């Protein structure tokens, strides 16, 4: 049977001239049975003019004119053609290197990508001190959000005296809209296991615990499978690779408390105690799980470790900015065209992430803010879009790196309502141990609820700010210390929206339903009855060919009537 | 399975293995929780059924992790030996059958379903 042997992919987003010329050239040369011309929608490469990609080689032609068609078709038919072109996005893969590439259920796939070679190398050729020195030299910082230098953390745990130590993996990913760690665990579980074993060797631990939220059943299943495979090959368990080093890993399921992502609350939870944070010091490196020296890192941090040893600490330190090395994985969500999981070098700007990688704002709407760091972070406005992403710069604008959730908001999002949403989350998730967090956040939420329903008082502005600062100062753990950030940052950048709600009882974005109503313009209404027929609560009255009226008492402000009206007679005021 | 007794044994074991196979086209389906929620399991079944129904011997379906394009799930990456991968977006059962018939058997890419944006590996 005849089989197509070459495919010419043409970017037709800029017009079909080249596509048509190529199709014509193929049929003129009588190559229709072996060469295919296919239209695609852009390659995302740095190139001018019309771009064509040839398969199977994957080479590109750029700046193609219709008269180039014959030449390209002949080259493609002979199995060659084109040259490499750099991709437009500069994203590099470290933590996600294997995710979406290997079969996560196959240890052979992992080993084929130099899996466990870093562990084997450390055990065979390096002292624990060498290993710690390499991690320090790489500049790797905690990817869970706070950004503490990983090598330093390992060094503290290594220097703590003790006959028994633990390596803990924090896989209790809980920020709304975040799924970086889940993707790593589900796509490349061995990378985490290998790094935990390396850490165990470095600090002198023989046992590791992965604290994974129970809402990630597939991640847990793939981890269990991976642990069994690694033990069967002697890559975990006793006497790993004949070196005398032993390391076992078990999985502990979290029951869905956000605060258990805080390392001391997590340790309490593993011990079977209430998931409440402990006073620090002592830090886990001195007295952690079962009061033994413990090292806690997040999934993504561990996922970076093996590449530091495979490529050298200098290589890792060569990526990113002066103080934030390497890459960061982000879960890009919200009002953006290309929702997805991305990994970019530290120092990439928000603008590059939103427009180059994310494809811009959905529906061509106006960008308003980007939320980073989840409930601990803040909202960053359009004026700061050229901010390079690293730990320090995000903190300097009142937000934080966080674990990597990026939620894009457009003109239809009310910033007061967004702050209310996050406060609602932290109030729900506060463990209740510290009064400022337990009561203070509740008070913040109550004020925000009043503001978004038009009952806010002018003095709330100062009260929100003062109370927010007190909660930050007086809470024990990261949850309370950062919970007011969404309020404080939106007040800093979007005070006009707070004022509009309080002073004018208006929601400029039209998101707070208590502050808006739908009205019918008698001039434009034709009495077609379409709105009345579609109203889910039957609150629109009016005879055929006569002006209709919305009963404001019964209206639930769903906006269906406005969307259905063909005459633009209904508006939101 | 015998345990690997040294770093050298691990390296030998690794050298004898590769992701994918030199003699087969691999259809890698993004099957993380997100992909499965978008219908990846149906896609896998449709691909496997079509491979069987058409008597294709040179192709196999494997699961892989998240490919990163949430907006385009379920995703299938066709990795033919010696060729650059071709990525398909929104692969439902009907598209899965077309991929086997047109791409795997016929060699022609399925127009209109390709996610053409380059991603680093």
């Amino acid at each position: 049977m005849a089989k197509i042997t070459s495919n010419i992919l043409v970017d037709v987003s800029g017009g079909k001239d080249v596509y048509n010329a190529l199709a014509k050239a193929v049929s003129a040369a009588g190559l229709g049975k072996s060469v295919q011309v296919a239209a695609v929608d852009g390659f995302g490469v740095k190139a001018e003019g019309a771009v064509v990609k040839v398969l199977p080689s994957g080479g590109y032609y750029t700046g193609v004119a219709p008269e180039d068609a014959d030449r390209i078709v002949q080259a493609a038919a002979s199995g060659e053609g084109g040259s490499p072109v750099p991709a437009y996005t500069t994203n590099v893969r470290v933590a996600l290197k294997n995710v979406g590439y290997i079969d996560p259920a196959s240890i052979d796939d992992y080993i084929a990508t130099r899996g466990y070679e870093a562990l084997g190398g450390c055990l065979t050729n390096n002292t624990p001190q060498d290993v710690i020195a390499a991690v320090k030299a790489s500049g790797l910082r905690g990817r869970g959000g706070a950004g503490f230098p990983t090598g330093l953390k390992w060094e503290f745990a290594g220097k703590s005296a003790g006959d028994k130590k633990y390596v803990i993996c924090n896989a209790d990913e809980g920020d709304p809209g975040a799924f970086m760690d889940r993707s790593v665990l589900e796509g490349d579980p061995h990378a985490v296991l290998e790094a935990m074993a390396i850490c165990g060797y470095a600090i002198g631990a023989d046992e590791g615990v992965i604290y994974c939220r129970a809402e990630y059943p597939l991640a847990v299943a793939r981890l269990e499978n991976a642990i069994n495979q690694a033990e069967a090959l002697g890559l975990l368990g006793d006497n790993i690779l004949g070196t005398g080093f032993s390391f076992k890993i078990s999985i502990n399921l979290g029951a869905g408390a956000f605060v258990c992502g805080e390392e001391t609350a997590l340790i309490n939870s593993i011990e079977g105690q209430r998931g409440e944070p402990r006073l620090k010091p002592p830090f886990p490196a001195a007295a952690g799980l079962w009061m033994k020296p413990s090292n806690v890192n997040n999934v993504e941090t561990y996922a970076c470790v093996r590449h530091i040893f495979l490529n050298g600490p200098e290589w890792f330190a060569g990526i990113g900015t002066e103080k934030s090395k390497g890459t960061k994985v982000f879960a890009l969500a919200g009002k953006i065209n290309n929702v997805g999981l991305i990994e970019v070098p530290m120092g990439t700007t928000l603008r590059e992430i939103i427009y180059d990688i994310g494809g811009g704002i959905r529906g061509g709407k106006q960008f308003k803010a980007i939320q980073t760091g989840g409930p601990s972070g803040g909202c960053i406005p359009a004026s700061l879009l050229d901010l390079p992403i690293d730990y320090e710069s995000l903190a300097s604008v009142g937000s934080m790196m966080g674990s990597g959730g990026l939620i894009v908001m457009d003109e239809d999002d009310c910033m007061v309502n967004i702050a209310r949403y996050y406060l609602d989350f932290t109030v729900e998730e506060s463990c209740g141990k510290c009064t400022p967090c337990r009561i203070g956040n509740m008070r913040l939420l109550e004020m925000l609820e009043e503001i978004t329903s038009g009952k806010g008082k002018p003095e709330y502005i100062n009260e929100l700010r003062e109370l927010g600062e007190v909660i930050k100062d007086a809470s024990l753990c990261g949850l309370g210390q950062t919970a007011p950030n969404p309020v404080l940052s939106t007040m800093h950048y979007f005070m006009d929206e707070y004022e509009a709600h309080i002073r004018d009882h208006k929601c400029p974005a039209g998101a707070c339903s208590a502050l808006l109503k739908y009205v019918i313009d008698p001039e434009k209404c034709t009495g077609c009855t379409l709105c009345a027929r579609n109203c889910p609560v039957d609150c629109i009255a009016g005879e055929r060919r006569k002006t209709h009226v919305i009963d404001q008492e019964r209206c639930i402000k769903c906006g269906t009537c406005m969307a259905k009206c063909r005459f633009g007679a209904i508006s939101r005021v | 399975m015998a345990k690997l007794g040294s770093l050298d044994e691990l390296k030998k074991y690794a050298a004898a293995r590769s992701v994918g196979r030199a003699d087969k086209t691999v259809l890698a389906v993004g099957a993380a929780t997100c992909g499965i929620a978008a219908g990846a399991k149906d896609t896998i079944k449709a691909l496997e059924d079509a491979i069987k129904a058409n008597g294709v011997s040179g192709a196999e379906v494997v699961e892989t992790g998240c490919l990163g394009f949430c907006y385009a799930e379920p995703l299938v990456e066709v990795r033919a030996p010696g060729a650059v991968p071709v990525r398909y977006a929104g692969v439902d059962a009907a598209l899965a059958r077309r991929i086997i018939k047109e791409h795997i058997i016929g060699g022609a890419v399925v127009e209109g379903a390709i996610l053409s944006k380059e991603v680093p590996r």
Side-chain angles (χ1 to χ4, degrees):
Chain A
M1 184 180 159
K3 185 164 175 169
I4 300 278
T5 50
S6 309
N7 319 78
I8 304 175
L9 307 182
V10 190
D11 176 8
V12 295
S13 54
K16 292 197 82 174
D17 292 357
V18 171
Y19 175 86
N20 293 336
L22 283 162
K24 218 166 127 188
V26 166
S27 58
L31 289 167
K33 287 206 165 67
S34 60
V35 178
Q36 177 202 19
V37 180
V40 297
D41 186 28
F43 297 105
V45 292
K46 285 176 186 157
E48 298 286 321
V51 182
V52 166
K53 181 181 180 180
V54 181
L55 301 180
S57 72
Y60 281 98
Y61 292 95
T62 61
V64 179
E67 39 291 7
D68 300 326
D70 286 327
R71 182 170 60 88
I72 293 172
V73 169
Q74 290 304 330
S78 62
E80 51 190 73
S83 46
V85 175
Y88 191 69
T89 55
T90 52
N91 44 348
V92 287
R93 294 201 146 200
V94 179
L96 296 181
K97 183 85 180 160
N98 279 342
V99 176
Y101 176 55
I102 64 165
D103 177 355
S106 160
I107 193 171
D108 284 1
D109 266 19
Y110 181 67
I111 291 176
T113 64
R114 302 178 72 191
Y116 291 102
E117 189 185 316
L119 172 64
C122 287
L123 296 181
T124 311
N125 305 322
N126 299 120
T127 64
Q129 290 73 31
D130 293 341
V131 174
I132 290 173
V135 176
K136 278 172 86 173
S138 74
L140 176 64
R141 295 169 65 177
R143 299 295 193 246
F148 192 81
T150 306
L152 213 51
K153 218 175 193 181
W154 290 20
E155 188 172 59
F156 291 149
K159 282 185 175 161
S160 293
D163 51 336
K164 179 81 186 176
K165 296 181 186 178
Y166 292 95
V167 173
I168 299 171
C169 173
N170 184 347
D172 194 48
E173 186 172 49
D175 284 4
F179 51 91
M180 300 76 55
D181 293 347
R182 175 174 63 71
S183 297
V184 171
L185 294 173
E186 290 180 353
D188 195 16
H190 285 287
V192 176
L193 304 183
E194 181 179 359
M196 289 176 71
I198 292 173
C199 177
Y201 176 66
I203 69 168
D206 66 349
E207 203 176 329
V209 182
I210 301 172
Y211 187 87
C212 184
R213 57 187 303 186
E215 294 95 324
Y216 285 176
L218 187 63
V220 172
R222 286 188 176 158
L223 278 171
E224 281 171 348
N225 174 60
I227 291 170
N228 290 336
Q229 289 176 333
E231 284 178 352
L233 275 179
L235 297 167
L236 284 178
D238 293 328
N239 192 17
I240 294 170
L241 288 172
T243 60
F245 174 68
S246 300
F247 193 75
K248 289 191 178 65
I249 295 179
S250 60
I251 302 172
N252 209 292
L253 295 190
F258 181 67
V259 74
C260 288
E262 197 282 333
E263 59 183 8
T264 59
L266 182 153
I267 288 168
N268 268 350
S269 175
I270 296 176
E271 291 180 358
Q273 302 182 49
R274 283 182 71 134
E276 289 180 344
R278 297 176 181 172
L279 195 64
K280 290 195 272 193
F283 287 90
L289 182 58
W290 309 114
M291 295 313 275
K292 302 290 183 190
S294 307
N295 179 73
V296 187
N297 283 133
N298 132 293
V299 171
E300 191 188 330
T301 315
Y302 284 126
C304 294
V305 168
R306 75 175 184 121
H307 300 287
I308 292 171
F309 292 96
L310 293 178
N311 302 317
E314 319 75 41
W315 167 84
F316 191 86
I319 308 170
T321 64
E322 194 195 336
K323 286 184 174 170
S324 301
K325 302 297 186 188
T327 59
K328 181 77 193 81
V329 181
F330 290 104
L332 193 54
K335 306 284 182 60
I336 191 143
N337 280 315
N338 303 343
V339 170
L341 188 74
I342 60 168
E343 181 168 3
V344 292
M346 295 280 189
T348 305
T349 66
L350 289 168
R351 188 183 301 280
E352 288 172 282
I353 290 176
I354 295 167
Y355 290 96
D356 296 346
I357 302 173
I361 309 302
R362 209 183 292 159
K365 296 219 171 179
Q366 193 69 39
F367 168 85
K368 184 186 270 183
I370 183 162
Q371 212 277 347
T372 75
S376 308
C379 293
I380 299 171
S383 59
L384 294 172
L385 268 181
D386 290 310
L387 189 78
I389 289 200
D390 64 26
Y391 293 99
E392 278 72 27
S393 61
L394 285 172
S396 73
V397 298
S399 187
M400 69 182 290
M401 178 74 80
S403 59
L406 287 181
I407 299 174
V408 176
M409 294 153 192
D410 70 6
E411 56 194 277
D412 294 337
D413 289 308
C414 166
M415 302 316 287
V416 188
N417 193 40
I418 294 289
R420 186 202 57 77
Y421 168 81
Y422 281 107
L423 253 292
D424 194 38
F425 181 87
T426 36
V427 164
E428 180 85 10
E429 296 294 347
S430 171
C431 74
K433 181 167 181 162
C434 310
T435 314
C437 178
R438 183 182 69 239
I439 310 284
N441 282 321
M442 189 69 204
R443 279 295 298 137
L444 286 182
L445 176 62
E446 284 166 3
M447 280 189 271
L448 291 172
E449 279 173 346
E450 287 189 27
I451 295 173
T452 52
S453 57
K455 296 172 194 147
K457 301 184 181 111
E459 58 266 31
Y460 282 6
I461 299 285
N462 274 333
E463 286 178 19
L464 284 171
R465 196 175 284 131
E466 273 176 33
L467 184 54
E469 294 297 343
V470 169
I471 295 168
K472 287 179 72 152
D473 285 344
S475 296
L476 183 61
C477 84
L479 193 155
Q481 285 163 9
T482 58
N485 281 352
V487 189
L488 297 174
S489 75
T490 49
M491 283 176 66
H492 184 70
Y493 295 113
F494 301 96
M495 183 51 86
D496 54 326
E497 294 198 25
Y498 279 84
E499 285 170 349
H501 281 77
I502 293 172
R503 195 182 52 217
D504 310 328
H505 306 290
K506 287 250 189 293
C507 174
C512 297
S513 60
L515 295 182
L516 53 93
K517 60 178 182 177
Y518 290 87
V519 291
I520 298 175
D521 181 353
E523 300 285 311
K524 290 184 181 162
C525 179
T526 62
C528 73
T529 76
L530 191 63
C531 59
R533 281 183 280 134
N534 280 288
C535 177
V537 291
D538 286 328
C539 76
I540 305 179
E543 285 173 41
R544 183 169 281 276
R545 296 204 184 82
K546 286 189 180 151
T547 302
H548 283 48
V549 179
I550 299 172
D551 180 351
Q552 298 297 342
E553 291 293 304
R554 286 161 57 216
C555 174
I556 57 166
K557 290 150 187 170
C558 66
T560 303
C561 52
M562 191 165 95
K564 290 283 175 190
C565 180
R566 295 191 194 131
F567 307 98
I570 303 178
S571 53
R572 192 173 59 197
V573 292
Chain B
M1 219 181 314
K3 295 199 176 191
L4 301 171
S6 68
L7 178 59
D8 282 340
E9 280 185 36
L10 170 70
K11 284 184 175 168
K12 276 188 201 124
Y13 186 91
R17 274 155 187 86
S18 63
V19 178
R21 297 170 48 163
D23 59 332
K24 275 197 173 182
T25 295
V26 168
L27 294 129
V29 183
T33 298
C34 38
I36 292 169
K41 291 285 182 193
D42 295 337
T43 307
I44 291 167
K45 186 171 185 307
L47 288 169
E48 284 173 344
D49 288 351
I51 286 172
K52 209 180 278 175
N54 292 290
V56 179
S57 58
E60 66 176 8
V61 181
V62 300
E63 290 189 14
T64 189
C66 167
L67 288 146
F69 306 95
C70 308
Y71 59 96
E73 300 270 14
L75 280 151
V76 175
E77 195 171 89
V78 179
R79 303 171 185 159
V84 294
V86 176
R87 208 172 279 117
Y88 287 105
V91 184
D92 58 8
L95 181 56
R97 287 189 285 272
R98 284 189 65 190
I99 290 171
I100 297 299
K101 275 207 168 140
E102 297 173 28
H103 190 147
I104 304 300
I105 300 172
V109 297
V110 182
E111 209 169 352
I114 296 177
L115 191 67
S116 51
K117 226 170 75 172
E118 291 288 343
V119 269
R121 164 98 282 139

